[in-house]
């Protein structure tokens, strides 16, 4: 009985880890999904944060884990962005969508693309500049990146423009 319980525990752990690692859907219709994300962002006064990468990319998976584990970063993500994971893999390279976004893959993966409420690309972020140099992400750098590209900070009224 203990053996069966142990097997079930291992299977549940593996399943949760595998599901967590499946951020990117190679079968997704990226154009349709991003259009829906832009619409959702516009309706909720947010921007779209596209994270380009794939399930094969350990840094892509690590960023998602890191961002969700940090309360401040998770809060900025939830209040300011609709987060979409744009797949790049041998099954689906999404060449047309990456081209439309200005070839952000030139920076490697993950790469972050910020779209405004109109779906216009307003920033591309090389994730290398968000790292801490020790094999992980830097909380301060990631928080700053997200806050500085949020709709609240980029609102014309904040800067005295109307």
């Amino acid at each position: 009985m203990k053996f069966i319980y142990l097997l079930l525990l291992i299977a549940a752990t593996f399943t949760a880890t595998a599901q967590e690692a499946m951020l990117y859907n190679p079968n997704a219709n990226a154009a349709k999904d991003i259009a829906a994300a832009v619409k959702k962002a516009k309706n909720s006064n947010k921007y779209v944060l596209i994270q380009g990468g794939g399930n094969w990319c350990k840094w892509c998976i690590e960023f998602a884990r890191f961002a969700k584990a940090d309360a401040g970063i998770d809060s900025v993500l939830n209040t300011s962005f609709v987060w979409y994971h744009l797949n790049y893999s041998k099954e689906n390279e999404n060449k047309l969508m990456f081209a439309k976004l200005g070839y952000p893959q030139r920076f490697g993966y993950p790469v972050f693309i910020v779209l405004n409420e109109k779906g216009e690309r307003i920033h591309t972020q090389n994730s290398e500049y968000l790292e801490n140099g020790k094999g992980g992400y830097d909380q301060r750098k990631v928080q700053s990146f997200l806050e500085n590209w949020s709709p609240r900070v980029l609102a014309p009224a904040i800067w005295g423009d109307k």
Side-chain angles (χ1 to χ4, degrees), residues 76-106:
V76 175
L77 278 167
N78 289 323
T79 59
S80 300
F81 297 97
V82 174
W83 193 5
Y84 181 74
H85 293 86
L86 176 59
N87 182 73
Y88 176 86
S89 66
K90 63 183 176 185
E91 297 85 11
N92 185 355
E93 295 179 353
N94 277 307
K95 287 182 179 182
L96 292 176
M97 184 52 64
F98 278 106
K100 182 178 179 181
L101 294 169
Y103 304 99
Q105 66 270 39
R106 68 188 180 274

Side-chain angles (χ1 to χ4, degrees), residues 37-48 82 117-118:
V38 168
K39 183 176 182 180
K40 182 177 179 181
K42 183 175 184 174
N43 291 337
S44 53
N45 298 313
K46 296 181 180 184
Y47 285 165
V48 176
V82 174
E117 73 282 357
K118 297 175 187 172

